[in-house]
Amino acid sequence: MRWPASRAHLLLGLVLATSTPVWGQEAFQVTLDRDGETIGDMRPVFLQFESKSLPAISPREVARRYVRMFDQTFDPTLRIDALNRLASLQDRAAGDLQIDVETELRLYREAIRDYEQLIATGESDYPRDQLLYQLAKAHALVGEGERSIAQLQRLVREHPRSPLIHEARFRIAERAFALQDYAQAEAGYQQVIKADDATDSLKTKTWYMLGWSQYKQEALDRAGDSFIAVLDQKAAVTDRFRAVPDGELEVVDDTLRILALISARTGGANALASRLARVGERDYEYLLYDRLADYYASEGRARDSVAAAERFIRNQPAHASVPALRQQVIAVWQQQGFADQARDAKADYIAAYRDQGSYDRLQENEQVLWQRYTRELADYHYQRAGTATATAEEFARSGDLYSLLAPRLTDSGDVQRLAGDAWLQAGDYQRALDEYRNAGYNAPGYNEAADAAWAAVRLMAEGLDRKVALAIDLDGYVAGIQRFHRRFAMDPRGYQAFVDAANRLLTAERDAEALTMAAEVSADPAASPEDRYAAWLAQGRAQQGLSRFDAAERSWREALAMTTQGLLAVVESERQALVEQLATSIYRQAEVALAADQIDVAVAHFQRIDSVAPSSELAIRGRFDAANTLLSSERWQAAINELVRFRGDFPDHTLAAQIHDKLVYAYHASGQPIRAADELMAGASQNKVSWEKQLRAAEFYHQGGADGDRNRIYQAYLATAAPAGDEQEHLLQQRMRQRLITSGAAGDALRQTLVARELESDWHSEASLAAAAEAALVLGRAAGESFADIALVHPLPQSLARKRQALDRALERYQQAVRFGTDAAGSEALYRQAELYRKLAADLMASSRPDGLNELESMQYDLLLEEQAYPFEEKALALHARNHQRLSEGYFDEWVAQSLDVLSQLHPGRYQRDSRWMAWTNEEGGDA
Amino acid sequence: MVRVVCSIILMLSVTLVTAAPSTDAERRLALARFSEAAGEPSQALAWLQGLASPTANLVRAKALLASGRPEHARQLLEALTRGDRHRGEAWLLLAREQLAEQGREAARPALQNAARLSHGATRQEALYHLADDYLQLGQLDQAGRVLASMDDGYWAAMGYHNIATGYSDVDSTSARSLVAIRVALAMLDGDGNRRRAEALRAELLLKAGFLAYQSNEFQKATGFLDDVPLNSFATPRALYLHGLATFAQRHYRGAMQSWHRARKFPLAFSGSVDAWLGMGRSYDELGYLAQAGEAYLAANAALESEQVTLSTLADEVDNKGAYQAMVLAARNSDVEWFLADSRTLTQPRLAYLLHLAKQPDAQQAIARLATLADLAQTLQRHEHDLGLFIETLDERQRTSVSNPTAEQLAAQATRLARALANLQGDGEQASRTELASITVQLSDIRDSLDRWQDRTTLARTQQSRLRDRARTLKTTIPGLLTAVTELQEAAGQELDRIATDFIEGERRRIRLAQDRAEQHIAYLYEYLALNTLERDLQREVAE
């Protein structure tokens, strides 16, 4: 009955009116003017939210709480909830809750009362059928099986549509099974299976128990089909048995076991295959065959076990479980002591996953197994190769396996090395090389990588040397060495290899590369002295090959220094060779400098060879070449000094023979002809100097103004020389004669010879003609003076004849001068001839008169003299006029001028004229 | 103190007759009605002595009903129903009595007559009960028709409130119920009693919110609950329900706001208890599991503390009695509150008292004890007063033989008059006027004194009579006090039993809440443990 509010309110007012505002638990106050009047007006408060760390709670603690809650609460719903949670937790924690059996029993026993209370009152959130079920379960747990079954039967009876009915029926059937009433149990299980709405998990359990109930009745076929159904169910919830939860494991395992047992009892693998053919293929067949094989193996029936496994392998070779089955086959053979069969099985295993695709499809553990088998088999073949007849074949097999294995290992270095060794033994050098390289460079963490890489290097070297059939060229070899050194910079063998490569490159005339290689070693202080020495040698050679002689010199010096520093022992001959190389490099530098017109540098180089290789041939050569260089560069004095020094230092050297001529040349070129002549004549005291040299010397003397020395040679020569047989000789002799005459060493006699030779010869030169002409003129002047000295006295004919002879002699000379053709001589000759005639004429006129002539006679005599003189004057006049004519030929000299003077005296009307210069103006627009 | 309170309440809740009574009978009738309304039926019956009007009989009947003499009251009421005045009220009172004592069947005719013959608030109440009767018979339509004929006001609102409950019992949706609630809320607007209207309004909003929540109309639910005042009796439950509706809308933080406020209320309010647990749930839903655990532990601690409070309360009830431990203790004044030993005891005590008082038998027991205590106080006071009165009268008798005082005063007045007369000749006009006034006053005093002397003679006679009567009355008081004490003990024991059962029920309720808190903590721990298991399993698998 609902009490009217008036009374309640009255009482409410009774007490409320006496009190202050309602107080809550903790200073609760409703201050209306601050907080709003209604819930909607409530001002929100700040609530803190923090993510805090959560304690690690053990399931035992939770269980303890639930037990405590169960014990302490009076509410049956809460108690049952605690119990259910506890049961669930027990399942999840795999029973590790430290709840003893007694406690558990007590809980369930007490819970029975709660269940009954809730069932009776209906005051529960749980549905009644669920309560009945849980009650049944509780009875079962406390050992009250009959009561449990009774409750389950009550559930089935009273709640035919309950979702728990199937579970209940299952439990009833379970009870029958426990009581060994298998037929009853089977019937019960069948009821559950036939239910459409039974859960899959329940059906699976039911199938399982159905199978067992059938098995117990020896109905193996039916049982097998039931167990297949169990596996079908389990497959659906375990991702096709890839992820079997712990809770399912036992059932699955047991089902497989019993199926194996059934198969074994009904015919083995064939029976299993027949069953599967009948019920249809299953994707978990491998498990069945696997378990059958396990069973046989546990029974010691290796062949049957293998047959079972291989049956499946044959059926489905690409199945993911095949590797495991193969492994099982191997294990079975091994366990049973069949080593060969086990090995063959391993080989099959290896071969089955040889290609990368199929290998990649293997699981990680299968790959590990494959790797192990491969290694084992490879080792087996390798060891066997030492004793087998077909050694190469065994090594090849071993190598093949190692090579196959290596890329599939993380630490493959060792295997790759072994592969290399195996291939090497098998004669497949390329593969050996590849594997050595792999071991050396592609196997991180491999401790002997350097050795493997070095093996590759050695193999390449042998290949290069054609000791093994390996296609390798020098580039490849060099690349290989460089690679070795890059990777194993601290390995001393790298230096050796570099030197070797350098030398090979040098041999191949690849000097630049050889230089690079050698430089790597020589510059590295870590290299051994021997390696560095060899590197310097190679560098020297390379530098020389590259014509970098300065660098070559440094290299040689370095190498040489190493020999002197005691870093290594070198035979003397080798050291000498080094010295030679050094000297050569300097020599070459001199040549280079010389080619570059760096004379001083070249000379310096040439000269310093001696400091490196004293008195060596090259040093001597160098000095000689230094002199030559100076000579060729026209540094005469320096060259002369050098030559003289050279001759002084090496008088017996073959090159010394060349010094004489070079000195002569140098002297001459340097404007020291006398020294040149002296040089030429230097051997005259001991060795007869050839006329050629003497004449050269005479020439030099002549050039130097040492006329005396010259004249001596000339005179000696002329005294012995035969008449010239050729032009050169003629001219030479004429020149000599001329010079003798000019220098006053010879008189008219030589002149006459000069003129006569010139007249006689068919060879002339301007010089010879000029000399002859000059000589003729001198002779003519002498004759003229003799003519002039002859006075015309009585007897005039005699004196005249004598005069006439002198005249002829003079005229002859003058005509000879004219004949020699020089302009100057010709004009003088003409003049003098003309003057001779005028003199004659004058002398005639001035000749003494015979005594006793009267005037008339005298006049007559004068007329006769004039008639006699007049032709001479005419001739003089003509000769002068001929000289004058030379003007029109464009020639004028003093003799022409004198001739003109005489003509102006002799014919003033014609020849005595004032000359007048005419100006020349350059007019534009001329006729041209 | 109680009387003062009652008077205040009466001023607030009872419509008093504003016109001043003109006769003694009317005055006494008015006082009787006041006393009856104030819960003092004995006083009312005292005032009604000698009055026999229908109204007086009605009041008398009410007082007799309130004082536990229903047979006498029934006779009066039946007589009134045969009369021509107050028939409706009489039928209603009869109906109430029959409802309480005999059941609905017996009360139905009286109700129908009351509805037919009464008017105003009486009729509304009668119609309410009639509608409620139909509701109890499952005749919702009939009840609805009755309600439709009611005027706006409290009773109509209550009727619609009840029919809403009826609809919710039979309907699959809350549509009709909510409509009925809305009508009830509308009806409340016409009620003149603001406080009861607000209290009922809060309950209506709470119910509407609950119905909407049950129908998964959470937004509608919060819409209703938002209007619930923050200071009503329904507020804790409304806050909890508001939180639930907000929670259902996945506004967990919003729900926590409501529940956080609800927690402020004493745990005596069921909404407060649930709110403590709700906080944990919200933290849980938001993913702050550590704080969820802390919230549950805090709830547990609060509940444990409440158990201690209840235990203490139970002990005090055992030791001091429920009335002292719960009712009187809740009445502490402000000053006493500050001086109280334990504040928490007083505050939850009040809340528990409120809840206890919701039970009708508890109300009756408390009222009875309050009345008896009041009676005892009254009797004691009367005894004391009577003693004083008797002493005073005796004293007066002794002193009234000669009373020189009056004569002295009269003589003094005469002397003062003469003195004033002398003074009146002198002084200014204003002073003379004042003196004349004083002279007149003195003359009046002198006359009064003369009359007083006459009256004292009469008074002495009366006093002698009164003294005798007082002595007689005083001798009856101890016996009455003894009777009152016995009745107090009986009522106290009844209240103790009720309170003890109530406290026990509360302890069970709190215990259950603790168990639920513990359950939630266990759930949380289970979750953490399973997570740890899962993590370990995954680590094992990874290894």
PDB file of all heavy atoms in Angstrom, chain A residues 363-381:
ATOM      1  N   GLN A 363      59.900 -23.968 -43.784  1.00  0.00           N
ATOM      2  CA  GLN A 363      59.913 -23.248 -42.513  1.00  0.00           C
ATOM      3  C   GLN A 363      61.358 -23.064 -42.075  1.00  0.00           C
ATOM      4  O   GLN A 363      62.275 -23.716 -42.589  1.00  0.00           O
ATOM      5  CB  GLN A 363      59.172 -24.060 -41.441  1.00  0.00           C
ATOM      6  CG  GLN A 363      57.720 -24.303 -41.747  1.00  0.00           C
ATOM      7  CD  GLN A 363      56.945 -23.016 -41.753  1.00  0.00           C
ATOM      8  OE1 GLN A 363      57.109 -22.176 -40.869  1.00  0.00           O
ATOM      9  NE2 GLN A 363      56.117 -22.842 -42.761  1.00  0.00           N
ATOM     10  N   GLU A 364      61.504 -22.211 -41.117  1.00  0.00           N
ATOM     11  CA  GLU A 364      62.868 -21.892 -40.686  1.00  0.00           C
ATOM     12  C   GLU A 364      63.563 -23.124 -40.130  1.00  0.00           C
ATOM     13  O   GLU A 364      64.738 -23.384 -40.462  1.00  0.00           O
ATOM     14  CB  GLU A 364      62.812 -20.801 -39.615  1.00  0.00           C
ATOM     15  CG  GLU A 364      64.186 -20.253 -39.273  1.00  0.00           C
ATOM     16  CD  GLU A 364      64.095 -19.159 -38.228  1.00  0.00           C
ATOM     17  OE1 GLU A 364      63.032 -18.521 -38.130  1.00  0.00           O
ATOM     18  OE2 GLU A 364      65.076 -18.967 -37.517  1.00  0.00           O
ATOM     19  N   ASN A 365      62.887 -23.885 -39.330  1.00  0.00           N
ATOM     20  CA  ASN A 365      63.545 -25.077 -38.765  1.00  0.00           C
ATOM     21  C   ASN A 365      63.843 -26.101 -39.845  1.00  0.00           C
ATOM     22  O   ASN A 365      64.846 -26.821 -39.791  1.00  0.00           O
ATOM     23  CB  ASN A 365      62.666 -25.680 -37.667  1.00  0.00           C
ATOM     24  CG  ASN A 365      61.331 -26.115 -38.197  1.00  0.00           C
ATOM     25  OD1 ASN A 365      60.763 -25.453 -39.063  1.00  0.00           O
ATOM     26  ND2 ASN A 365      60.821 -27.221 -37.717  1.00  0.00           N
ATOM     27  N   GLU A 366      62.985 -26.175 -40.858  1.00  0.00           N
ATOM     28  CA  GLU A 366      63.235 -27.104 -41.963  1.00  0.00           C
ATOM     29  C   GLU A 366      64.441 -26.642 -42.776  1.00  0.00           C
ATOM     30  O   GLU A 366      65.236 -27.454 -43.247  1.00  0.00           O
ATOM     31  CB  GLU A 366      61.994 -27.185 -42.842  1.00  0.00           C
ATOM     32  CG  GLU A 366      60.816 -27.836 -42.132  1.00  0.00           C
ATOM     33  CD  GLU A 366      59.484 -27.554 -42.796  1.00  0.00           C
ATOM     34  OE1 GLU A 366      59.439 -26.730 -43.740  1.00  0.00           O
ATOM     35  OE2 GLU A 366      58.478 -28.147 -42.378  1.00  0.00           O
ATOM     36  N   GLN A 367      64.549 -25.358 -42.889  1.00  0.00           N
ATOM     37  CA  GLN A 367      65.715 -24.848 -43.593  1.00  0.00           C
ATOM     38  C   GLN A 367      66.978 -25.185 -42.814  1.00  0.00           C
ATOM     39  O   GLN A 367      67.997 -25.543 -43.403  1.00  0.00           O
ATOM     40  CB  GLN A 367      65.582 -23.335 -43.777  1.00  0.00           C
ATOM     41  CG  GLN A 367      64.537 -22.942 -44.805  1.00  0.00           C
ATOM     42  CD  GLN A 367      64.426 -21.436 -44.964  1.00  0.00           C
ATOM     43  OE1 GLN A 367      64.958 -20.663 -44.176  1.00  0.00           O
ATOM     44  NE2 GLN A 367      63.733 -21.000 -46.001  1.00  0.00           N
ATOM     45  N   VAL A 368      66.881 -25.033 -41.509  1.00  0.00           N
ATOM     46  CA  VAL A 368      68.046 -25.369 -40.676  1.00  0.00           C
ATOM     47  C   VAL A 368      68.400 -26.820 -40.851  1.00  0.00           C
ATOM     48  O   VAL A 368      69.571 -27.205 -40.984  1.00  0.00           O
ATOM     49  CB  VAL A 368      67.742 -25.062 -39.203  1.00  0.00           C
ATOM     50  CG1 VAL A 368      68.822 -25.623 -38.303  1.00  0.00           C
ATOM     51  CG2 VAL A 368      67.613 -23.565 -38.992  1.00  0.00           C
ATOM     52  N   LEU A 369      67.401 -27.651 -40.918  1.00  0.00           N
ATOM     53  CA  LEU A 369      67.621 -29.084 -41.113  1.00  0.00           C
ATOM     54  C   LEU A 369      68.243 -29.354 -42.482  1.00  0.00           C
ATOM     55  O   LEU A 369      69.183 -30.151 -42.606  1.00  0.00           O
ATOM     56  CB  LEU A 369      66.263 -29.778 -41.015  1.00  0.00           C
ATOM     57  CG  LEU A 369      66.233 -31.157 -40.408  1.00  0.00           C
ATOM     58  CD1 LEU A 369      66.891 -31.172 -39.037  1.00  0.00           C
ATOM     59  CD2 LEU A 369      64.774 -31.599 -40.258  1.00  0.00           C
ATOM     60  N   TRP A 370      67.702 -28.691 -43.458  1.00  0.00           N
ATOM     61  CA  TRP A 370      68.244 -28.859 -44.808  1.00  0.00           C
ATOM     62  C   TRP A 370      69.709 -28.465 -44.827  1.00  0.00           C
ATOM     63  O   TRP A 370      70.546 -29.141 -45.437  1.00  0.00           O
ATOM     64  CB  TRP A 370      67.444 -27.996 -45.781  1.00  0.00           C
ATOM     65  CG  TRP A 370      67.842 -28.141 -47.210  1.00  0.00           C
ATOM     66  CD1 TRP A 370      67.298 -28.969 -48.126  1.00  0.00           C
ATOM     67  CD2 TRP A 370      68.897 -27.446 -47.882  1.00  0.00           C
ATOM     68  NE1 TRP A 370      67.923 -28.841 -49.334  1.00  0.00           N
ATOM     69  CE2 TRP A 370      68.929 -27.907 -49.207  1.00  0.00           C
ATOM     70  CE3 TRP A 370      69.820 -26.494 -47.499  1.00  0.00           C
ATOM     71  CZ2 TRP A 370      69.820 -27.441 -50.134  1.00  0.00           C
ATOM     72  CZ3 TRP A 370      70.717 -26.012 -48.425  1.00  0.00           C
ATOM     73  CH2 TRP A 370      70.724 -26.488 -49.730  1.00  0.00           C
ATOM     74  N   GLN A 371      70.004 -27.408 -44.142  1.00  0.00           N
ATOM     75  CA  GLN A 371      71.389 -26.938 -44.102  1.00  0.00           C
ATOM     76  C   GLN A 371      72.275 -27.964 -43.421  1.00  0.00           C
ATOM     77  O   GLN A 371      73.392 -28.240 -43.864  1.00  0.00           O
ATOM     78  CB  GLN A 371      71.464 -25.608 -43.348  1.00  0.00           C
ATOM     79  CG  GLN A 371      70.844 -24.458 -44.094  1.00  0.00           C
ATOM     80  CD  GLN A 371      70.582 -23.270 -43.194  1.00  0.00           C
ATOM     81  OE1 GLN A 371      71.041 -23.220 -42.049  1.00  0.00           O
ATOM     82  NE2 GLN A 371      69.837 -22.307 -43.689  1.00  0.00           N
ATOM     83  N   ARG A 372      71.733 -28.532 -42.371  1.00  0.00           N
ATOM     84  CA  ARG A 372      72.529 -29.517 -41.632  1.00  0.00           C
ATOM     85  C   ARG A 372      72.791 -30.733 -42.478  1.00  0.00           C
ATOM     86  O   ARG A 372      73.922 -31.220 -42.559  1.00  0.00           O
ATOM     87  CB  ARG A 372      71.773 -29.900 -40.358  1.00  0.00           C
ATOM     88  CG  ARG A 372      72.657 -30.496 -39.288  1.00  0.00           C
ATOM     89  CD  ARG A 372      71.868 -30.869 -38.070  1.00  0.00           C
ATOM     90  NE  ARG A 372      71.340 -32.207 -38.220  1.00  0.00           N
ATOM     91  CZ  ARG A 372      70.269 -32.666 -37.582  1.00  0.00           C
ATOM     92  NH1 ARG A 372      69.594 -31.882 -36.785  1.00  0.00           N
ATOM     93  NH2 ARG A 372      69.862 -33.894 -37.752  1.00  0.00           N
ATOM     94  N   TYR A 373      71.748 -31.203 -43.152  1.00  0.00           N
ATOM     95  CA  TYR A 373      71.903 -32.387 -43.996  1.00  0.00           C
ATOM     96  C   TYR A 373      72.900 -32.118 -45.120  1.00  0.00           C
ATOM     97  O   TYR A 373      73.730 -32.949 -45.465  1.00  0.00           O
ATOM     98  CB  TYR A 373      70.556 -32.800 -44.577  1.00  0.00           C
ATOM     99  CG  TYR A 373      69.582 -33.327 -43.564  1.00  0.00           C
ATOM    100  CD1 TYR A 373      68.212 -33.205 -43.764  1.00  0.00           C
ATOM    101  CD2 TYR A 373      70.022 -33.948 -42.400  1.00  0.00           C
ATOM    102  CE1 TYR A 373      67.308 -33.690 -42.837  1.00  0.00           C
ATOM    103  CE2 TYR A 373      69.124 -34.437 -41.473  1.00  0.00           C
ATOM    104  CZ  TYR A 373      67.762 -34.309 -41.682  1.00  0.00           C
ATOM    105  OH  TYR A 373      66.872 -34.779 -40.769  1.00  0.00           O
ATOM    106  N   THR A 374      72.763 -30.952 -45.681  1.00  0.00           N
ATOM    107  CA  THR A 374      73.649 -30.617 -46.793  1.00  0.00           C
ATOM    108  C   THR A 374      75.084 -30.594 -46.324  1.00  0.00           C
ATOM    109  O   THR A 374      75.981 -31.101 -47.007  1.00  0.00           O
ATOM    110  CB  THR A 374      73.251 -29.256 -47.388  1.00  0.00           C
ATOM    111  OG1 THR A 374      71.863 -29.260 -47.689  1.00  0.00           O
ATOM    112  CG2 THR A 374      74.057 -28.930 -48.631  1.00  0.00           C
ATOM    113  N   ARG A 375      75.310 -29.999 -45.209  1.00  0.00           N
ATOM    114  CA  ARG A 375      76.648 -29.954 -44.642  1.00  0.00           C
ATOM    115  C   ARG A 375      77.160 -31.352 -44.361  1.00  0.00           C
ATOM    116  O   ARG A 375      78.306 -31.688 -44.685  1.00  0.00           O
ATOM    117  CB  ARG A 375      76.641 -29.104 -43.369  1.00  0.00           C
ATOM    118  CG  ARG A 375      78.012 -28.948 -42.735  1.00  0.00           C
ATOM    119  CD  ARG A 375      78.974 -28.205 -43.643  1.00  0.00           C
ATOM    120  NE  ARG A 375      80.317 -28.283 -43.170  1.00  0.00           N
ATOM    121  CZ  ARG A 375      80.923 -27.306 -42.475  1.00  0.00           C
ATOM    122  NH1 ARG A 375      80.263 -26.207 -42.163  1.00  0.00           N
ATOM    123  NH2 ARG A 375      82.165 -27.443 -42.096  1.00  0.00           N
ATOM    124  N   GLU A 376      76.344 -32.150 -43.766  1.00  0.00           N
ATOM    125  CA  GLU A 376      76.776 -33.500 -43.439  1.00  0.00           C
ATOM    126  C   GLU A 376      77.156 -34.280 -44.692  1.00  0.00           C
ATOM    127  O   GLU A 376      78.188 -34.946 -44.754  1.00  0.00           O
ATOM    128  CB  GLU A 376      75.667 -34.239 -42.674  1.00  0.00           C
ATOM    129  CG  GLU A 376      75.500 -33.752 -41.244  1.00  0.00           C
ATOM    130  CD  GLU A 376      74.254 -34.336 -40.586  1.00  0.00           C
ATOM    131  OE1 GLU A 376      73.558 -35.140 -41.221  1.00  0.00           O
ATOM    132  OE2 GLU A 376      73.986 -33.956 -39.425  1.00  0.00           O
ATOM    133  N   LEU A 377      76.299 -34.153 -45.674  1.00  0.00           N
ATOM    134  CA  LEU A 377      76.547 -34.910 -46.897  1.00  0.00           C
ATOM    135  C   LEU A 377      77.773 -34.365 -47.618  1.00  0.00           C
ATOM    136  O   LEU A 377      78.574 -35.127 -48.181  1.00  0.00           O
ATOM    137  CB  LEU A 377      75.310 -34.828 -47.780  1.00  0.00           C
ATOM    138  CG  LEU A 377      75.096 -35.998 -48.742  1.00  0.00           C
ATOM    139  CD1 LEU A 377      75.029 -37.314 -47.955  1.00  0.00           C
ATOM    140  CD2 LEU A 377      73.794 -35.791 -49.516  1.00  0.00           C
ATOM    141  N   ALA A 378      77.906 -33.066 -47.602  1.00  0.00           N
ATOM    142  CA  ALA A 378      79.060 -32.453 -48.266  1.00  0.00           C
ATOM    143  C   ALA A 378      80.342 -32.898 -47.591  1.00  0.00           C
ATOM    144  O   ALA A 378      81.330 -33.253 -48.251  1.00  0.00           O
ATOM    145  CB  ALA A 378      78.931 -30.940 -48.220  1.00  0.00           C
ATOM    146  N   ASP A 379      80.315 -32.888 -46.246  1.00  0.00           N
ATOM    147  CA  ASP A 379      81.500 -33.337 -45.510  1.00  0.00           C
ATOM    148  C   ASP A 379      81.792 -34.796 -45.806  1.00  0.00           C
ATOM    149  O   ASP A 379      82.957 -35.196 -45.953  1.00  0.00           O
ATOM    150  CB  ASP A 379      81.268 -33.147 -43.998  1.00  0.00           C
ATOM    151  CG  ASP A 379      81.276 -31.682 -43.604  1.00  0.00           C
ATOM    152  OD1 ASP A 379      81.771 -30.850 -44.390  1.00  0.00           O
ATOM    153  OD2 ASP A 379      80.764 -31.355 -42.508  1.00  0.00           O
ATOM    154  N   TYR A 380      80.735 -35.553 -45.913  1.00  0.00           N
ATOM    155  CA  TYR A 380      80.891 -36.992 -46.186  1.00  0.00           C
ATOM    156  C   TYR A 380      81.604 -37.194 -47.516  1.00  0.00           C
ATOM    157  O   TYR A 380      82.581 -37.939 -47.612  1.00  0.00           O
ATOM    158  CB  TYR A 380      79.516 -37.651 -46.167  1.00  0.00           C
ATOM    159  CG  TYR A 380      79.498 -39.055 -46.713  1.00  0.00           C
ATOM    160  CD1 TYR A 380      79.998 -40.110 -45.961  1.00  0.00           C
ATOM    161  CD2 TYR A 380      79.007 -39.315 -47.988  1.00  0.00           C
ATOM    162  CE1 TYR A 380      79.998 -41.408 -46.473  1.00  0.00           C
ATOM    163  CE2 TYR A 380      79.011 -40.598 -48.490  1.00  0.00           C
ATOM    164  CZ  TYR A 380      79.500 -41.639 -47.733  1.00  0.00           C
ATOM    165  OH  TYR A 380      79.495 -42.921 -48.241  1.00  0.00           O
ATOM    166  N   HIS A 381      81.112 -36.506 -48.555  1.00  0.00           N
ATOM    167  CA  HIS A 381      81.721 -36.671 -49.877  1.00  0.00           C
ATOM    168  C   HIS A 381      83.152 -36.149 -49.883  1.00  0.00           C
ATOM    169  O   HIS A 381      84.032 -36.702 -50.542  1.00  0.00           O
ATOM    170  CB  HIS A 381      80.874 -35.962 -50.928  1.00  0.00           C
ATOM    171  CG  HIS A 381      79.622 -36.700 -51.282  1.00  0.00           C
ATOM    172  ND1 HIS A 381      79.649 -37.955 -51.844  1.00  0.00           N
ATOM    173  CD2 HIS A 381      78.320 -36.368 -51.133  1.00  0.00           C
ATOM    174  CE1 HIS A 381      78.415 -38.372 -52.049  1.00  0.00           C
ATOM    175  NE2 HIS A 381      77.573 -37.435 -51.607  1.00  0.00           N
TER     176      HIS A 381
END
